[in-house]
Amino acid sequence: MTAALLNSLVTRLSPPPIPAVQAWGKSYTGGHGPLIDLSQAVPGYPPHPDMLRWLGEAASSVAFANYGPIEGETVLRDAYATHMSELYGSKIGGQNVHITSGCNQAFICAAMVVAEAGETVLVTDPFYFNHETTLSMLGIKTGFVGCGSEHGFVPTVEAVEEALVPGVRALALVTPNNPTGAVYSPERLKAIFDVCTKRGIWLILDETYRDFLAEGTGAPHGLFNVSGWEDNLIQLYSFSKSFCIPGHRLGAITAGEAVVTEIAKIMDNLQICAPRAPQIAVARALPALTDWRAGNRLEIETRANALRETMTDLGGWQLAAIGAYFAFVRHPFADKTSVEVAEQLAKKAGILAIPGEYFGAGHTRFLRFAFANADAATIRQLRSRMAIFSL
């Protein structure tokens, strides 16, 4: 008997990193108090009661038990387009919106619609690991734009231009960034977008964490006001964080009508339609829970400030970058890899963090803290544990 082969584009990938990191925590004996999980980016507070009620009503309705429109429920597409228009001060219609089952699926759709196997999509270094693995399993080449700590983990225009070699079809950026938390200014985004339009490539802009920008920030950027933006921009978003419903898997793509039409072909094969019940619930929640979401943004800012205080003069640990949901923390152990440090931090100190190497091999001196998971009081407990931690 000859064994059948599996797809090497998949088998060559490492297992999902977050379950591996969480497994380290099972060896923690609890000597310093409860395990503090800063590994996966999940809201550290529950959904609004009205959201839960709306989800229940929609899920129990016969009206939403069948297949829905591939592009998404019209009521949500229109509500989200209205929200986008108000946020960015631009004119976006429901026809510019495609609803997906989470933002990871939105990225898969975006990658497939712009690039064929063998072509190249650029990501930043450090990168969000699911973006890199998605491209790899699709047979799309991955190029890298360096954005180190000396530039605040934000790519320079020069670095983008240098990476635009023949065969590049798109540049994928995440702002606020995962893993570093770095926020790209509107001016930098516009300059990078100008490079993309000049060179005829797509900018895939993942703004999953935009609802947690600092108070008074204003519009994240003005790209939707650029004439002809539809020819070069695909924007991604997740409803998971702002509405605290990651388990319901709901994301969105904002793009030109031609792109939405092509993505519908992809979605029809991936899932046919995104989950219908959360679409109906979020369509109601978008205008109704504005104040609640604003309060959550302030709560996340409180947690970020607690981490800034906690990391001040902390025995060689350095806060290299912080924003929205994430902090990129430089560890003090020059002779140890980030995997070694993260594993022992979990087992000895009861702190779960993601090794920097998982976001690019060159980031072995860093750990990613998803600080939004924990309240300010819990975050302050990190100081005593990290101060005495040793390898």
Side-chain angles (χ1 to χ4, degrees), residues 109-146:
C109 290
M112 291 181 69
V113 83
V114 302
E116 301 175 8
E119 294 179 327
T120 301
V121 171
L122 300 176
V123 298
T124 57
D125 182 17
F127 50 79
Y128 172 44
F129 44 70
N130 277 8
H131 285 179
E132 192 270 340
T133 53
T134 292
L135 298 173
S136 182
M137 69 175 64
L138 291 173
I140 298 172
K141 296 178 182 178
T142 306
F144 299 96
V145 179

Side-chain angles (χ1 to χ4, degrees), residues 46 126 129 148 153 164-165 168 178 181 197 211 224 238 251 267 269 311 346 349 373:
F129 44 70
F153 295 104
L164 289 177
V165 298
V168 171
N178 180 4
T197 58
D211 295 316
F224 290 113
S238 169
M267 273 293 291
N269 287 278
M311 295 298 301
N373 298 8

Side-chain angles (χ1 to χ4, degrees), residues 286-299:
L286 264 170
L289 299 184
T290 300
D291 291 343
W292 179 78
R293 293 166 70 200
N296 290 338
R297 184 193 56 73
L298 290 174
E299 171 59 25

Side-chain angles (χ1 to χ4, degrees), residues 352-366:
L352 294 184
I354 304 292
E357 289 163 79
Y358 291 1
F359 306 99
H363 306 289
T364 191
R365 287 299 303 274
F366 297 95

Side-chain angles (χ1 to χ4, degrees), residues 152-170:
F153 295 104
V154 175
T156 65
V157 175
E158 293 75 18
V160 171
E161 291 176 326
E162 184 178 345
L164 289 177
V165 298
V168 171
R169 296 298 306 274

Side-chain angles (χ1 to χ4, degrees), residues 48-349:
H48 192 281
D50 287 346
M51 170 60 77
L52 294 175
R53 177 168 57 85
W54 295 330
L55 283 167
E57 290 173 357
S60 62
S61 172
V62 174
F64 305 114
N66 212 329
Y67 293 121
I70 297 172
E71 298 87 351
E73 302 292 328
T74 299
V75 64
L76 178 56
R77 295 175 74 194
D78 288 345
Y80 183 62
T82 297
H83 171 71
M84 288 282 289
S85 298
E86 293 172 352
L87 177 62
Y88 292 95
S90 58
K91 188 176 181 180
I92 296 170
Q95 71 277 7
N96 296 120
V97 175
H98 199 304
I99 304 301
T100 61
S101 182
C103 197
N104 275 347
Q105 188 178 77
F107 182 78
I108 291 173
C109 290
M112 291 181 69
V113 83
V114 302
E116 301 175 8
E119 294 179 327
T120 301
V121 171
L122 300 176
V123 298
T124 57
D125 182 17
F127 50 79
Y128 172 44
F129 44 70
N130 277 8
H131 285 179
E132 192 270 340
T133 53
T134 292
L135 298 173
S136 182
M137 69 175 64
L138 291 173
I140 298 172
K141 296 178 182 178
T142 306
F144 299 96
V145 179
C147 47
S149 57
E150 68 275 15
H151 297 295
F153 295 104
V154 175
T156 65
V157 175
E158 293 75 18
V160 171
E161 291 176 326
E162 184 178 345
L164 289 177
V165 298
V168 171
R169 296 298 306 274
L171 165 65
L173 301 179
V174 184
T175 179
N177 188 253
N178 180 4
T180 67
V183 177
Y184 297 14
S185 70
E187 295 77 18
R188 182 63 55 85
L189 285 173
K190 177 60 166 59
I192 292 174
F193 188 55
D194 287 345
V195 173
C196 293
T197 58
K198 181 179 179 180
R199 299 289 290 272
I201 71 165
W202 290 96
L203 175 60
I204 301 173
L205 191 59
D206 184 336
E207 295 188 82
T208 291
Y209 303 97
R210 67 153 187 251
D211 295 316
F212 302 97
L213 291 167
E215 186 175 11
T217 298
H221 55 78
L223 302 187
F224 290 113
N225 292 308
V226 176
S227 178
W229 67 265
E230 301 94 335
D231 296 327
N232 295 89
L233 178 63
I234 300 174
Q235 190 253 25
L236 315 180
Y237 178 71
S238 169
F239 296 100
S240 298
K241 309 305 187 291
S242 186
F243 291 100
C244 305
I245 53 169
H248 287 282
R249 311 309 305 131
L250 204 64
I253 297 170
T254 302
E257 291 184 62
V259 173
V260 170
T261 297
E262 298 305 315
I263 287 175
K265 301 175 185 177
I266 298 170
M267 273 293 291
D268 190 42
N269 287 278
L270 286 179
Q271 190 162 321
I272 300 181
C273 65
R276 299 190 70 191
Q279 291 190 66
I280 300 303
V282 169
R284 298 179 69 175
L286 264 170
L289 299 184
T290 300
D291 291 343
W292 179 78
R293 293 166 70 200
N296 290 338
R297 184 193 56 73
L298 290 174
E299 171 59 25
I300 296 301
E301 190 171 331
T302 297
R303 298 179 185 196
N305 288 333
L307 186 58
R308 290 186 180 96
E309 296 169 8
T310 297
M311 295 298 301
T312 301
D313 299 325
L314 186 55
W317 296 87
Q318 297 177 0
L319 191 60
I322 185 170
Y325 258 54
F326 303 109
F328 219 41
V329 177
R330 185 179 179 90
H331 69 76
F333 307 100
D335 61 339
K336 302 294 183 180
T337 69
S338 63
V339 174
E340 293 173 311
V341 175
E343 180 176 1
Q344 294 308 310
L345 193 65
K347 293 179 177 180
K348 294 181 179 180

